[in-house]
Amino acid sequence: MAAASVSAWRIRIDSSYSRSAGEDTIRLRTGAASGAVQWRTRAWISWRSAGIFAEFGGPDVLRLIDAEEPHAGPGEIRVSVRAAGVNPVDWRIREGQVLGAHPTRLPSGVGLDAAGVVDEVGEGVDGVEVGDPVFGEGSSTYAEFAVLGAWARMPEGLTFEEAAGYPSVVETALRVIREVGVRPGQTLLVSGASGGVGSAVLQIARERGIKVIGTAGAANQDYLRGLGALATTYGEGWAERVRRLGRVDAALDLAGSGVIRELVGLTGDPQKVVSIADLDAPESGVRFSGVAGSVPHALAEAAALISRGRLHIPVEKSYALTEVAAAHADSRAGHTRGRRVIAV
């Protein structure tokens, strides 16, 4: 959520605001983190439903509130959100795990990815108009309105829910393929391959002439094969099963399931392993990738691949905005096939 709206106030959730019938002012219950509370009054404004959290913790800290509508600044657009992508980084931020890469001021909105209809264009923006359907990345996207800093026109044939599942996962997939240094003709092992990022990695890597091996649960083996991967299950003996499939030149840890040691053993070099999910990976000499690259470039490549029929990430489950806590709990539990999204 934009800092100029809810984050500018130390709102105490559950009785954080009040308005008398017919009044055009709102009284905000505000105060410091110490718990001091004051009531302040400001002019009545336009509001939106939005998911936020006022403390770090589990899914139970999430709340759906009425929050001030954000507005597009220079170089930005605002969208009427139709769907928002659910990413593991969303609940990692909510838990306070990744504050180095994602400094978070409380209370904070939730969500990075969205698809919707442009309803406000900021200064200096061209090539997009009010009414255009777009998908992209911004902040506080689990909401009725959100501001995006990077976007692209939605490819023909995509639903809003499908489109919301692409921005962050495609950027992440492109970034880790680049960082791990795998080349055409080589073999890339993807641990935790059935989720959104894994689905994108498998398809993008194959498009570039890279052979892929994917690990996932038993229920997702056919799904991985359908994406062109050699598939095997995780669990006891998984590393030996991978060895029987052939040489591994590079490996990605997308699930954070404690497999770094085995991935290093399979590649023979910690520099040939990249993790997006295990914060302790650097202790083994493995790179942890948590800082986004060029989102506009990723969106352009995603749109091109989708339009050519070379990239498709299914939506496994869609949640209502009132079901954000359940969406985070399910995402954290893993075993996802494709994407989870919030329908707004």
Side-chain angles (χ1 to χ4, degrees), residues 1 48-52 64-65 67 70 79-84 109-111 113-115 139-147 321 324 342-344:
M1 189 171 304
R48 61 170 179 168
S49 292
I52 75 163
L64 183 64
I65 69 165
V79 296
S80 175
V81 178
R82 299 293 191 267
V110 194
D113 294 346
S139 61
S140 305
T141 57
Y142 293 14
E144 292 176 316
F145 296 93
V147 170
L321 192 54
V324 171
I342 305 291
V344 180

Side-chain angles (χ1 to χ4, degrees), residues 6 12 35 125-126 135 313 335 338:
V6 173
R12 298 287 293 274
V125 173
D126 53 25
F135 68 132
I313 304 176
H335 311 294

Side-chain angles (χ1 to χ4, degrees), residues 211 213 230-233 236-248 266:
K211 180 180 177 181
I213 299 173
L230 296 173
T232 190
T233 55
E236 185 176 353
W238 74 268
E240 185 54 38
R241 290 193 293 276
V242 168
R243 284 192 179 91
R244 290 199 291 268
L245 293 175
R247 172 188 172 89
V248 173
L266 287 164

Side-chain angles (χ1 to χ4, degrees), residues 157-177:
L158 276 192
T159 67
F160 285 110
E161 291 184 12
E162 289 171 332
Y166 284 93
S168 287
V169 299
V170 173
E171 183 284 316
T172 303
L174 292 169
R175 169 169 31 101
V176 295
I177 290 172

Side-chain angles (χ1 to χ4, degrees), residues 89 92-93 98-103 112 137 167-179 274-279 282 287-295 298:
V89 71
R92 289 183 183 276
I93 292 171
V98 288
L99 295 181
H102 297 275
L112 299 174
E137 187 174 292
S168 287
V169 299
V170 173
E171 183 284 316
T172 303
L174 292 169
R175 169 169 31 101
V176 295
I177 290 172
R178 181 182 69 253
E179 290 176 347
V274 171
S275 175
I276 65 167
D278 191 333
L279 297 174
R287 180 172 187 165
F288 178 84
S289 182
V291 178
S294 172
V295 178

Side-chain angles (χ1 to χ4, degrees), residues 185-203:
Q186 293 186 322
T187 298
L188 174 65
L189 170 62
V190 183
S191 175
S194 65
V197 175
S199 298
V201 165
L202 296 183
Q203 294 173 78

Side-chain angles (χ1 to χ4, degrees), residues 295-306:
V295 178
H297 168 75
L299 292 170
E301 183 151 352
L305 289 169
I306 294 166

